[in-house]
Amino acid sequence: MKIGAIALALVAALSATSASAAGLERLISREQALALSGQNWGHSGAGQYLAGRQAQTGRDYGSAADFLEGALSWDPNNLDLRRRVFLLLLAEGRVEDALPHARPLERDSADPALPAIVEAAAAMKAGDYATALDRFADLDNNGLSGLIRLLGQAWAAVGAKDPSAARAVLAFSADQPPWKTLVAMHRALVEDLTGGDAVAAYAAANEAGAFKSSQGAALYANFKARQADSTVPRIVATPGDGLAEGLFSIAAALNQGDRSLSALIYGQIALYIAPKLDLTRLLVAQILADQDRNPEAAAMYADIDPASPYYYDAQLARARNLARADQADKAVEVLRGLAAAEPTNAAAPSLLGDVLRAEARFDEAVVAYDEAAARVGTITADNWRLFYHRGIALERSGQWARAESDLLAAISLQKDQASVLNYLGYSWIDRGENLQRAEDMIRRAVELRPEDGFIVDSLGWAYFRTGRFQEAARELERAATLEPVDPTINEHLGDAYWRVGRKAEARYQWQRALNLAPEDKQVPVLEQKLRCGLGDCAVPDKTD
């Protein structure tokens, strides 16, 4: 997601991230675990604790929160355990469930910032702006807490019908360099919502670069659209929406390196306050996908409204996550519906081809890629992937003439794409065609990606097919080191060993290839090699 100047400016300012949020990203120490499990909880409490820790390690945060909350019932004064439950619930977006833990942690914890933020967010959602002001006032003025304090106080003041106080809060911090761009944007939003001089405020924010991100561009476009048509709905229609926009900016800035879970927490709090903010939902879905929580990400993308300008891209992302979650049939259904709804857009049929190809449904994949190609219009260098992927599907479906044409087209569009050079070069080598040109292509691919075991295998196979068995064995040994569990590479290495007289090692490699779940058509070939080497012998009748 493009987060732009606002988020980049915030990164340094957020270096003092709340320890509460950062704490979720550290596993509890072994000593703490032993101390907790050694307490007089009884079998059930210890079991729930251990199950919760296991679920957390597996990123099943919902189950982890439930198990650990059960363990907490056995030791309700354990603040470390309560804090962990609190953070896990927030990461799952279960803010209402987390709220009962906020006050004990705010009162007794060494780091009360996040509990106070959650209580303030709940008050903003409920329209209790006086309580929100109190909770925001409890935050200190440093780092992340200071930024949330000023945005929270400003939007709570708007909710309390005191726009002058909101302007004063934002004016006080407007010249602080790390926050200047973000504050400029929120000054414009405050003026817009309270009937102030929004035109001047938006112009100043635009001059400060506040609208270069996806978020800012959407807000500015919404303002301009409403100037031309008063029936256009506001993106920021309530003080809660304004605070949620600020939390989105913070979450987007945190979404890098080892802070992704902190980003997830603030994104979930923003969604709790304002569930219809599409960019926040997209960010949370992206974080979930980056954590390989593909079903949860797909569900989050599914909640984007069909009327949203982000709907098409969200559906594409949903389909990707469904496919990664082994729900290919559902992904295909989504993509076919999307392709029918947008008959001129090539993205859905192209991704449909990718999903079908990954499922070895090559004939169907070719049809999808053909539809995508028909929608592309003018061919540019960026279209090389479409020709490459269709070329693979064509080759695997036995349509070599078209496959070769597509792979050559991909190379003409991007001459140094190692994957394309390798695929066409290997195909030619395997077919005994254009051997010198194929070898040159594969050598270039190896130069581009020297640590790619599959490409190194292709070079070794080129040597093998041209009778250079010692060189083949050397390259195939390196390929097997780089990709030790690929059955084809191990089979190739066995073939090379046989040709150089290392027959016992050859049989070992063939047996290893057989043990690595090769394709069905590869199994009888390997079995015959184990019986006969590379010589001729009869294949036994399977019906005997």
Side-chain angles (χ1 to χ4, degrees), residues 356-370:
L356 292 167
R357 177 169 53 86
E359 293 294 301
R361 295 162 63 176
F362 299 114
D363 290 333
E364 293 176 80
V366 169
V367 173
Y369 287 132
D370 285 345

Side-chain angles (χ1 to χ4, degrees), residues 200-211:
Y202 273 102
N206 190 39
E207 183 68 24
F211 303 129

Side-chain angles (χ1 to χ4, degrees), residues 18-19 44 52 64 110 120 146 170 191 219 229 246 256 258 304 310 345 359 394 433 435 439 452 462 479 505:
S18 166
S44 178
L170 294 173
E191 294 296 341
L219 292 167
D229 181 357
Q256 53 185 301
D258 62 356
I304 298 292
Y310 306 106
N345 197 319
E359 293 294 301
L394 286 163
E433 300 172 1
L435 296 180
E439 184 176 322
D452 188 315
E505 292 170 274

Side-chain angles (χ1 to χ4, degrees), residues 50 63 348 467:
L50 293 173
S63 296

Side-chain angles (χ1 to χ4, degrees), residues 60-245:
D60 182 0
Y61 298 135
S63 296
D66 291 337
F67 282 126
L68 292 176
E69 196 159 31
L72 182 63
S73 69
W74 291 77
D75 188 16
N77 295 320
N78 190 312
L79 288 178
D80 285 338
L81 188 54
R82 185 177 297 279
R83 178 169 165 271
R84 184 172 295 276
V85 170
F86 177 66
L87 294 169
L88 286 166
L89 289 169
L90 292 178
E92 283 295 284
R94 293 162 58 182
V95 179
E96 291 288 347
D97 292 339
L99 272 170
H101 301 287
R103 182 49 58 92
L105 289 170
E106 186 183 0
R107 183 180 62 245
D108 299 325
S109 174
D111 181 19
L114 188 58
I117 291 166
V118 170
E119 288 191 312
M124 289 289 290
K125 182 179 177 69
D128 183 357
Y129 301 113
T131 298
L133 281 167
D134 287 343
R135 295 277 71 78
F136 285 126
D138 290 336
L139 302 176
D140 63 40
N141 282 316
N142 298 316
L144 178 58
S145 293
L147 178 57
I148 294 175
R149 173 179 170 138
L150 88 89
L151 293 177
Q153 286 181 319
W155 284 111
V158 171
K161 309 298 184 186
D162 192 355
S164 296
R167 294 186 187 103
V169 169
L170 294 173
F172 178 77
S173 301
D175 293 328
Q176 296 190 30
W179 302 347
K180 187 173 182 179
T181 305
L182 181 62
V183 169
M185 181 173 79
H186 281 265
R187 289 179 74 183
L189 296 175
V190 165
E191 294 296 341
D192 190 1
L193 192 59
T194 60
D197 190 354
V199 172
Y202 273 102
N206 190 39
E207 183 68 24
F211 303 129
K212 293 181 179 179
S213 66
S214 298
Q215 175 200 22
L219 292 167
Y220 195 30
N222 177 254
F223 172 69
K224 291 191 291 185
R226 284 186 285 108
Q227 285 184 300
D229 181 357
S230 61
T231 65
V232 174
R234 294 175 181 272
I235 292 178
V236 175
T238 68
D241 291 345
L243 177 61
E245 288 287 348

Side-chain angles (χ1 to χ4, degrees), residues 312-329:
Y312 190 92
D313 288 341
Q315 290 294 296
L316 291 175
R318 177 189 176 199
R320 288 191 195 95
N321 282 275
L322 287 169
R324 291 169 186 161
D326 297 324
Q327 299 180 48
D329 287 344

